[in-house]
Amino acid sequence: MIYNLTKEELENYFLERNDKKFRAEQIFKWLYQKKVKTYEEMTDIKKETLKELEEELPIYRVELVSVERDKDVNKYLFRLKDGEHIEAVLMRHDYGNSICVSSQIGCNMGCKFCESGRRKKVRNLTSGEIVTQVLQVEEDINERITHVVIMGIGEPFDNYDEVIKFCRIINDPKGLAIGSRHITISTCGIIPKIREFSDLNLQINLAISLHAPNDELRSEIMPINKAYPLKDLIKEIKKYVEKTNRRVTFEYILLKNVNDKEQHAKELAKLLKGINCYVNLIPYNETENIQYERSNMFQIMKFYDILKKENVNVTIRKEFGSKISAACGQLRSKKEEK
Ligand code: SAH
């Protein structure tokens, strides 16, 4: 389908057919700027070409099933061609509209606190299935999306190629023209892919789901840590920062009596010492199926203060979706368990 192709791939498609390279740009404009949904509307391209395109690269978007709306957050449920469901969340910030997209159906990372991971990976999403989540949400709100975070269902670096293609498509000036610095990939820490990503030297933001300051605890709540332990992960991140000159974000969910004690905050500060980074503390979104609880605000503030005192750049994530089951994977679970 057409939304799977970067502009460069589409240029090659036309060149292989002895057509003009600039067709790709024409089509990108129709799809991403005028946002048409049929080839017929592309009036500056020959009928024959359009017919071929229709057969070889159909225009297909993920299908919008339902929207839950709250003051500054919308939660979207989409159905895919094979009947599977995925979700995306729109958050309205003072700086713009930000969307959180899914990258896989299910997830194999097995993080103990995460709703999405309760279902094993069924398959990767294609770049076009990720791109059209953005298009559908833009159409729903009739406003431009300015920021994208890849933090929905799935592990983006377990679907590396499609996720990078997705980034290239939305970043293209003739595509959705979303600036690299407005795109964030969040990973649980798949080291070889972090290395590959840093070699691309893009300006895209990298966020690491850390959630624990030592191997023992991290392996307990995030099994991926057994394959890629903290020491190696931190070493890789240091290389990334050195190479790209970009600041990384560490996400840290606060789980009551698990990783939220004073000693954890001190250990975390020590672990991150000297790294150009900032820490985003995330109040845990409780879900019915998982026993972890959210730390209380007092504990969260105490954790925050310790990091501050140790000169760590730290923020507490603004809360959006707790009322409308916006914890990663909750909406899909509700739908499929019905
Ligand atoms: N797999 C990627 C991206 C998807 S998860 C990653 O691990 O980063 C996006 C973020 O949401 C991760 O930091 C994840 O740990 C966090 N998360 C998962 N379940 C959550 C919950 N119930 N409440 C708050 N954050 C959660």
Side-chain angles (χ1 to χ4, degrees):
M1 72 129 158
I2 186 77
Y3 294 111
N4 283 334
L5 271 59
T6 62
K7 199 172 80 225
E8 203 185 350
E9 286 173 327
L10 198 53
E11 283 171 354
N12 290 332
Y13 170 90
F14 285 113
L15 289 175
E16 277 165 24
R17 279 159 187 75
N18 296 317
D19 201 338
K20 303 277 188 311
K21 189 170 145 181
F22 75 84
R23 294 259 176 271
E25 202 169 301
Q26 287 177 302
I27 292 193
F28 256 54
K29 277 194 193 155
W30 283 113
L31 290 175
Y32 298 110
Q33 289 169 19
K34 303 196 175 117
K35 305 189 202 280
V36 304
K37 289 186 200 161
T38 61
Y39 280 114
E40 282 159 32
E41 292 163 84
M42 304 186 182
T43 46
D44 55 358
I45 301 170
K46 275 203 309 235
K47 284 248 160 66
E48 282 159 53
T49 312
L50 292 177
K51 219 175 133 213
E52 271 172 36
L53 282 165
E54 178 77 63
E55 271 159 31
E56 286 166 28
L57 298 168
I59 300 183
Y60 153 83
R61 292 183 176 193
V62 293
E63 182 195 337
L64 180 58
V65 179
S66 64
V67 193
E68 286 185 34
R69 295 174 205 276
D70 204 341
K71 205 171 87 243
D72 44 16
V73 53
N74 290 352
K75 179 98 194 209
Y76 295 84
L77 186 70
F78 296 110
R79 188 167 34 232
L80 308 173
K81 272 225 163 98
D82 50 7
E84 295 289 347
H85 291 93
I86 48 155
E87 23 181 280
V89 181
L90 167 82
M91 289 156 286
R92 295 177 190 276
H93 295 275
D94 42 14
Y95 55 78
N97 291 321
S98 164
I99 184 178
C100 170
V101 293
S102 295
S103 57
Q104 298 180 315
I105 301 170
C107 180
N108 279 346
M109 300 302 117
C111 300
K112 293 286 186 332
F113 46 79
C114 179
E115 182 70 33
S116 309
R118 291 201 311 123
R119 187 175 186 218
K120 287 284 146 273
K121 176 170 89 176
V122 177
R123 66 170 173 90
N124 285 329
L125 296 186
T126 65
S127 50
E129 285 170 326
I130 315 176
V131 169
T132 58
Q133 294 172 49
V134 182
L135 287 174
Q136 292 292 55
V137 172
E138 276 198 333
E139 182 176 283
D140 178 65
I141 59 173
N142 198 20
E143 279 171 52
R144 190 165 177 261
I145 285 176
T146 55
H147 293 69
V148 174
V149 299
I150 308 168
M151 292 191 188
I153 302 172
E155 166 50 47
F157 280 176
D158 186 36
N159 183 15
Y160 183 83
D161 293 341
E162 294 298 312
V163 164
I164 297 299
K165 267 175 59 170
F166 161 71
C167 294
R168 292 194 191 282
I169 295 167
I170 61 168
N171 178 235
D172 196 294
K174 304 287 181 217
L176 289 172
I178 298 173
S180 307
R181 285 167 184 262
H182 289 185
I183 303 173
T184 302
I185 300 180
S186 174
T187 176
C188 62
I190 301 183
I191 292 176
K193 295 297 167 187
I194 296 176
R195 196 168 306 147
E196 232 178 293
F197 178 71
S198 92
D199 287 340
L200 291 180
N201 228 322
L202 304 170
Q203 296 297 302
I204 293 172
N205 304 308
L206 182 64
I208 307 289
S209 294
L210 200 62
H211 308 331
N214 61 58
D215 277 316
E216 196 189 343
L217 184 54
R218 194 164 191 267
S219 294
E220 196 184 303
I221 59 177
M222 299 178 70
I224 191 71
N225 192 67
K226 291 172 198 155
Y228 303 118
L230 266 184
K231 186 162 66 68
D232 301 338
L233 179 60
I234 295 294
K235 208 155 77 189
E236 197 59 45
I237 297 298
K238 283 183 177 158
K239 278 200 248 163
Y240 166 85
V241 173
E242 208 171 291
K243 170 148 201 188
T244 61
N245 223 349
R246 306 275 340 237
R247 178 144 80 159
V248 286
T249 302
F250 289 103
E251 296 160 276
Y252 196 102
I253 302 180
L254 287 156
L255 302 164
K256 189 173 180 177
N257 295 330
V258 176
N259 65 355
D260 66 346
K261 309 213 173 100
E262 267 173 62
Q263 108 226 15
H264 296 130
K266 286 184 186 149
E267 218 175 340
L268 183 61
K270 207 167 146 201
L271 183 73
L272 303 182
K273 208 176 176 77
I275 304 178
N276 181 15
C277 68
Y278 93 90
V279 174
N280 199 199
L281 296 177
I282 308 173
Y284 180 59
N285 243 322
E286 294 180 5
T287 102
E288 278 166 32
N289 309 303
I290 298 172
Q291 87 283 9
Y292 290 113
E293 288 169 62
R294 152 191 305 225
S295 309
N296 61 39
M297 214 45 208
F298 177 74
Q299 200 62 32
I300 295 176
M301 286 315 298
K302 205 152 123 191
F303 203 95
Y304 174 89
D305 285 341
I306 294 170
L307 291 180
K308 267 266 163 236
K309 223 174 96 200
E310 298 285 337
N311 289 320
V312 177
N313 297 309
V314 55
T315 52
I316 298 175
R317 177 170 294 174
K318 177 174 177 217
E319 280 208 76
F320 274 104
S322 44
K323 266 209 281 290
I324 61 163
S325 59
C328 189
Q330 276 183 335
L331 199 63
R332 184 207 51 79
S333 305
K334 276 205 303 197
K335 166 93 190 166
E336 292 184 354
E337 278 158 21
K338 251 187 217 160

